[in-house]
Amino acid sequence: MHEKDDFDLQEFLPYLLNQAAEESSLAFQQIYKHRYGMLRTEWRVLFHLGIYGELTAGEIAARARIHKTKVSRAVARLESRRFLTRSRDAADRRREALRLTPKGESAYRDLREVARDYDAMLVEGFSEHEAELLRQMLRRLARPAADRGAA
Amino acid sequence: MHEKDDFDLQEFLPYLLNQAAEESSLAFQQIYKHRYGMLRTEWRVLFHLGIYGELTAGEIAARARIHKTKVSRAVARLESRRFLTRSRDAADRRREALRLTPKGESAYRDLREVARDYDAMLVEGFSEHEAELLRQMLRRLARPAADRGAA
DNA sequence: CCTTGTTAGTTACAAAATCAACTGTTAACA
DNA sequence: TGTTAACAGTTGATTTTGTAACTAACAAGG
């Protein structure tokens, strides 16, 4: 198949980023899926609560830039499987604080170690400096376009 | 909200790659969606045909690592909107060669220019060398894990 | 030729994502 | 207060995806 055109899809950043993101998520996905029956949004919610301790659904949605309906459904699933509990805020009864149960904590700690090892494996082929540069560039690309140039 | 734990989700490559991929696809997505009513798999199929001229659904699926059912549906949609045509291979009547119509070619050329400009905008903050290094690292991360270390 | 296996592509059904509309609660202010 | 707007979160309808099973065509060995 000869090339007819000089545009290189493999060089187009959104495409390349997507391929890299998908490929590099695969093996980790297998683990949280098979070990805990979680979906992507669910491990993300789990990690947010594991790291920050107590958050509302809205805070998680804002931090992770996940739509609130997705978070709402992930929270419902995690609650029904006893990975987290909710508690209504007495002062503002719209807000609902989420917190991991011991079962949730334990799943989080387990997956956190998997994530650490997995991340280390992914950067194995890069130097320390390259890996740091990569993350820095990715953080910039991940920033909402609105912030470009801003703080 | 104080940090309770030292794991940094923003540094975890699969997460970071995903955030970067999603954010950096947003504006481009708006364009192919609103200008041509396409979905992600559809613009990818369009680009493959625009670049390589004539391919079968299976070849596109293999190159882009998209599942064949997704390609099948994208092709059906693109055909119904007259962006491409199919022609059964006489020698092997299972195979179906896909080719862009003039309408498809024109959409491709338009989006190709959008993609070029958009890509340039994304790397605006990086030096030439950084941008090249980034793409190189992403290509490596995008490579199937099975190939790690291999050619 | 005729089984058996493989390949190309589609379809059916279940799971999940998206978008809009909804409930319930608080805030703003005439 | 009473009315209107804003916010937190959920639900329902529709679309899209994922998984598996399917049809049709070829290939290889007996």
Side-chain angles (χ1 to χ4, degrees):
Chain A
M1 195 63 42
H2 83 297
E3 212 153 298
K4 187 198 159 190
D5 187 282
D6 69 337
F7 186 81
D8 190 348
L9 196 47
Q10 304 296 333
E11 298 281 295
F12 182 43
L13 266 182
Y15 184 82
L16 194 45
L17 281 163
N18 224 72
Q19 300 287 86
E22 244 164 62
E23 183 57 43
S24 75
S25 300
L26 260 179
F28 184 62
Q29 178 179 49
Q30 296 308 313
I31 294 176
Y32 63 70
K33 186 175 167 189
H34 291 125
R35 210 176 280 183
Y36 298 102
M38 287 184 193
L39 304 174
R40 188 156 50 168
T41 309
E42 289 162 27
W43 82 257
R44 289 188 180 193
V45 168
L46 185 89
F47 269 56
H48 277 270
L49 293 173
I51 293 167
Y52 300 107
E54 188 172 278
L55 294 169
T56 67
E59 285 161 351
I60 295 173
R63 277 172 190 276
R65 283 184 255 129
I66 303 172
H67 195 274
K68 63 180 180 171
T69 66
K70 247 167 126 177
V71 173
S72 173
R73 285 173 166 128
V75 166
R77 254 176 72 96
L78 288 170
E79 187 194 25
S80 81
R81 293 155 164 251
R82 312 282 186 269
F83 285 109
L84 61 77
T85 55
R86 315 178 188 233
S87 56
R88 196 56 79 179
D89 181 336
D92 181 344
R93 293 170 0 81
R94 288 171 303 185
R95 312 181 58 117
E96 210 168 35
L98 306 172
R99 176 170 279 289
L100 295 183
T101 59
K103 178 181 174 189
E105 284 282 353
S106 141
Y108 164 63
R109 280 192 303 268
D110 177 38
L111 289 176
R112 181 187 61 191
E113 292 319 305
V114 172
R116 282 190 171 128
D117 295 348
Y118 187 57
D119 194 271
M121 194 206 69
L122 286 173
V123 297
E124 239 166 33
F126 307 133
S127 70
E128 290 270 327
H129 173 259
E130 283 171 337
E132 186 37 52
L133 186 59
L134 174 63
R135 287 189 227 267
Q136 196 182 307
M137 290 193 279
L138 290 175
R139 277 194 299 270
R140 176 198 276 251
L141 289 167
R143 221 152 65 198
D147 299 5
R148 287 287 162 69
Chain B
M1 195 62 45
H2 82 296
E3 213 155 295
K4 188 199 159 190
D5 187 282
D6 69 336
F7 185 81
D8 190 347
L9 197 47
Q10 304 296 334
E11 298 281 294
F12 182 42
L13 267 181
Y15 184 82
L16 193 45
L17 281 163
N18 224 68
Q19 299 288 90
E22 245 163 63
E23 183 58 42
S24 75
S25 300
L26 260 179
F28 184 62
Q29 179 179 50
Q30 298 307 313
I31 294 176
Y32 63 70
K33 186 175 168 190
H34 291 126
R35 210 176 279 183
Y36 298 102
M38 288 184 193
L39 304 174
R40 185 153 53 165
T41 308
E42 290 161 27
W43 81 258
R44 290 189 180 191
V45 167
L46 185 89
F47 269 55
H48 277 271
L49 293 173
I51 293 168
Y52 299 107
E54 186 173 278
L55 294 169
T56 67
E59 285 161 350
I60 295 172
R63 275 172 191 277
R65 283 185 256 128
I66 302 171
H67 196 275
K68 63 180 181 172
T69 65
K70 246 169 127 177
V71 174
S72 172
R73 290 193 262 241
V75 167
R77 254 175 72 97
L78 287 171
E79 187 195 24
S80 81
R81 294 154 165 252
R82 312 284 185 266
F83 286 110
L84 61 78
T85 55
R86 315 177 188 233
S87 55
R88 200 49 86 179
D89 181 335
D92 181 345
R93 295 170 358 84
R94 287 170 304 182
R95 317 186 101 224
E96 212 168 33
L98 306 172
R99 176 169 279 291
L100 295 184
T101 59
K103 177 180 173 188
E105 283 282 351
S106 141
Y108 164 62
R109 280 193 303 269
D110 177 38
L111 289 176
R112 181 186 60 191
E113 293 319 304
V114 172
R116 281 190 172 126
D117 294 349
Y118 187 57
D119 194 272
M121 193 207 70
L122 286 174
V123 297
E124 239 166 33
F126 307 133
S127 71
E128 289 270 328
H129 173 257
E130 283 171 336
E132 187 36 53
L133 187 58
L134 173 64
R135 286 189 227 267
Q136 197 182 305
M137 291 192 278
L138 290 175
R139 278 195 298 271
R140 177 198 276 252
L141 289 167
R143 220 151 66 198
D147 300 4
R148 287 285 163 69

